[in-house]
Amino acid sequence: MGIKETALAGTLESSDIQITLSEGSGINIDLDSSVEALYGDQIKKVITDTLNKYGITDAKVKAVDKGALDCVVKARTMAVAQRALGTTEEPNWEVL
Amino acid sequence: MEVREINIAIPRYRRKWQSFMEINGITEFSSNEVDKIEKTFMWDEDGDRAATGSIAGNVIKYVAVCSKYKEGGALFNKVVSYLLQQAAQMGRFHLFIFTKPKYVQSFEYVGFKKLAVSENGAILETGVPGITEYIEKLPHFEGKNGSIVMNANPFTLGHRRLVEVASSKNDHVYVFVVKNDVSLFTYEERIELVKKGVQDLKNVTVVSGDDYIISPATFPAYFLKSDQEIGTYQARLDAILFKDQIADPLDITTRYLGKEPYSKTTDSYNHELLDILPPEVNVEIIDRKTADDKIISATKVRQAILDNDQALLHEFLPETTMEFVKNNYPDLKKKLIEKGSK
């Protein structure tokens, strides 16, 4: 499934991550992180897994990471996914 | 730290905002810079002004952080995050910043991508769709590629001649039409007339210049000190952007320009292109086409519409543009009178 509209979640402050989701084919992640060499794959995995739980298989992801922990990455991905799908009023409890 | 939106149309807030900016080294507040601002935010710490930033269309402007809070950049990151979020709520996900070269790194740190940097200014962008998506969307061609940038307000036989010359000398030609709408003819009308006017030339592709072929009208320059710097700053950045972000990935080796006998602005713009584009991109200046010893120019065409000078229109315009002008004559004339002759 693709997404309906472009959305953004998160901030650029320390320990956070800002994620923008827009139309694309396949999950394509453009990650900008100072710890990319160490944790880049892990961050991408958390984003991809979380998107898949929402059934999103086609999206362009832009992520600017400022040292976010996995739980933060997951929370921000959930927020951006729900915004992009227009379902912010109906949280998907199963993803949690 | 608290943030609130302030209305700078109210003199009291305008003074607070402007004096804070002046303390932090931004001193240019001409109306064509300030009037475009839609939203302004101010951060306060215990009643003291700490930072500010504004949104104008898809441009982030007038960002200033008090030097007291500059260390570590935490407040700067907070300010930029907040502005991006506000812009997202307005449905804008693709944003530009124009700034001094020394701040390029700060913006790169928060995810901006550098498009062009000159001695006294820089353009960066963030979000989607960006320059990568723009270039991906365009057709790519092998062989010798030429290019022309035009506003085509409207498309004349002079433009046609320029395209013909480029078409005959190259395997392929890109015609970039300026998207910015500050002209008599709307962007949709202009690009449509260009497409119709060159449709018989099989090696010519007409594309939108999008946000990347920038009309000087949208170029913020408030962080520069003198007017003199502004003109060349805009032209230089535009030229660098074209060379690095557009000509390079599309393998464009030549840019064709029309010789400019009338407008000093265009002439100095051409001058900057000559200075920056070669040797990677050759610049060829083509003499303007004349009709009965009169040099064809779109400015004269607009004047002729105003004066209802049919003879001149027939001399200067291809059939396709002529037909459009005929069909929309009352509207065009009305727009010209309202706007003054643009």
Side-chain angles (χ1 to χ4, degrees):
Chain A
M1 176 173 73
I3 58 161
K4 282 184 190 157
E5 51 195 320
T6 306
L8 175 137
T11 77
L12 302 161
E13 293 175 62
S14 186
S15 305
D16 202 345
I17 182 169
Q18 188 191 59
I19 304 178
T20 313
L21 215 57
S22 57
E23 268 182 84
S25 64
I27 301 285
N28 205 327
I29 304 176
D30 170 11
L31 175 67
D32 179 347
S33 170
S34 52
V35 292
E36 193 168 353
L38 280 166
Y39 301 112
D41 290 344
Q42 175 62 17
I43 295 168
K44 286 181 183 170
K45 183 174 181 297
V46 173
I47 293 175
T48 310
D49 288 354
T50 311
L51 289 178
N52 285 339
K53 283 187 187 156
Y54 280 93
I56 298 173
T57 47
D58 295 297
K60 195 170 173 75
V61 183
K62 191 189 171 209
V64 183
D65 170 56
K66 291 285 163 240
L69 298 172
D70 282 5
C71 55
V72 175
V73 177
K74 188 175 171 186
R76 294 306 193 192
T77 311
M78 288 170 66
V80 80
Q82 300 226 163
R83 281 176 190 165
L85 295 171
T87 59
T88 39
E89 301 303 319
E90 319 137 33
N92 183 346
W93 299 109
E94 280 178 23
V95 178
L96 292 169
Chain B
M1 190 76 54
E2 263 175 58
V3 56
R4 67 210 156 86
E5 187 177 348
I6 59 168
N7 183 352
I8 55 167
I10 297 170
R12 191 157 54 96
Y13 291 118
R14 169 68 187 261
R15 276 196 303 273
K16 265 186 115 173
W17 173 75
Q18 186 162 331
S19 69
F20 176 69
M21 206 78 73
E22 280 162 352
I23 295 167
N24 288 284
I26 296 172
T27 52
E28 166 60 42
F29 298 93
S30 66
S31 64
N32 68 3
E33 297 278 6
V34 175
D35 290 354
K36 290 187 197 119
I37 292 177
E38 293 160 278
K39 280 178 189 249
T40 298
F41 302 91
M42 185 70 95
W43 280 258
D44 284 327
E45 174 93 339
D46 297 332
D48 266 353
R49 292 163 296 178
T52 179
S54 299
I55 300 171
N58 59 355
V59 176
I60 290 178
K61 273 180 131 171
Y62 287 108
V63 176
V65 176
C66 176
S67 51
K68 228 173 30 183
Y69 302 93
K70 265 188 185 151
E71 219 160 301
L75 181 54
F76 173 80
N77 294 4
K78 194 181 228 170
V79 168
V80 176
S81 300
Y82 194 80
L83 292 171
L84 294 182
Q85 276 167 12
Q86 292 296 323
Q89 281 178 17
M90 294 158 91
R92 296 171 200 164
F93 297 92
H94 178 221
L95 297 160
F96 290 91
I97 181 99
F98 297 76
T99 189
K100 291 179 189 167
K102 66 173 172 179
Y103 297 129
V104 165
Q105 220 184 350
S106 305
F107 282 102
E108 280 185 325
Y109 185 73
V110 288
F112 277 77
K113 182 177 154 45
K114 180 167 66 186
L115 291 176
V117 183
S118 75
E119 310 83 73
N120 46 12
I123 315 179
L124 298 96
E125 70 167 358
T126 190
V128 281
I131 185 84
T132 322
E133 287 79 21
Y134 170 70
I135 294 293
E136 266 172 17
K137 246 181 24 204
L138 296 180
H140 291 238
F141 302 100
E142 301 277 320
K144 190 171 183 298
N145 294 328
S147 65
I148 304 169
V149 171
M150 58 176 72
N151 192 24
N153 182 34
F155 186 78
T156 65
L157 287 172
H159 294 111
R160 165 82 195 184
R161 145 92 178 252
L162 196 57
V163 179
E164 277 171 4
V165 171
S167 164
S168 68
K169 290 184 171 180
N170 289 277
D171 297 326
H172 208 91
V173 177
Y174 291 94
V175 176
F176 295 94
V177 180
V178 174
K179 192 179 165 198
N180 201 313
D181 252 329
V182 286
S183 311
L184 168 64
F185 292 81
T186 66
Y187 163 69
E188 281 77 20
E189 290 163 358
R190 287 184 286 115
I191 195 163
E192 195 50 41
L193 291 176
V194 178
K195 281 181 181 164
K196 279 187 186 155
V198 303
Q199 61 188 354
D200 56 310
L201 301 168
K202 294 296 168 226
N203 65 344
V204 174
T205 310
V206 180
V207 297
S208 166
D210 213 314
D211 289 322
Y212 300 104
I213 307 274
I214 300 160
S215 154
T218 58
F219 250 71
Y222 58 86
F223 52 87
L224 294 177
K225 288 239 154 60
S226 75
D227 283 354
Q228 213 184 359
E229 277 182 335
I230 293 171
T232 58
Y233 140 82
Q234 293 169 334
R236 289 186 87 81
L237 271 188
D238 183 70
I240 295 169
L241 202 158
F242 180 82
K243 176 174 158 176
D244 295 347
Q245 310 290 348
I246 295 171
D248 182 55
L250 294 176
D251 285 321
I252 290 170
T253 47
T254 313
R255 178 157 163 184
Y256 293 85
L257 308 173
K259 193 169 182 171
E260 184 51 63
Y262 298 130
S263 155
K264 232 182 156 179
T265 322
T266 312
D267 192 49
S268 78
Y269 178 73
N270 286 357
H271 201 79
E272 295 299 328
L273 286 174
L274 272 169
D275 191 37
I276 288 175
L277 296 185
E280 290 87 347
V281 180
N282 299 314
V283 177
E284 278 196 41
I285 298 181
I286 308 295
D287 277 334
R288 290 267 178 141
K289 187 181 167 76
T290 53
D292 251 2
D293 283 343
K294 283 173 298 205
I295 294 176
I296 296 179
S297 90
T299 316
K300 285 190 195 157
V301 168
R302 295 192 295 278
Q303 188 60 43
I305 293 173
L306 197 59
D307 303 341
N308 200 6
D309 184 347
Q310 291 287 334
L312 189 129
L313 290 178
H314 274 288
E315 252 181 311
F316 281 15
L317 296 178
E319 279 298 309
T320 44
T321 307
M322 194 62 214
E323 197 187 314
F324 180 87
V325 171
K326 262 190 209 152
N327 294 340
N328 296 277
Y329 188 74
D331 279 349
L332 290 171
K333 185 155 181 173
K334 196 167 143 239
K335 263 169 93 180
L336 271 173
I337 293 169
E338 278 166 10
K339 280 187 177 181
S341 65
K342 253 192 178 173

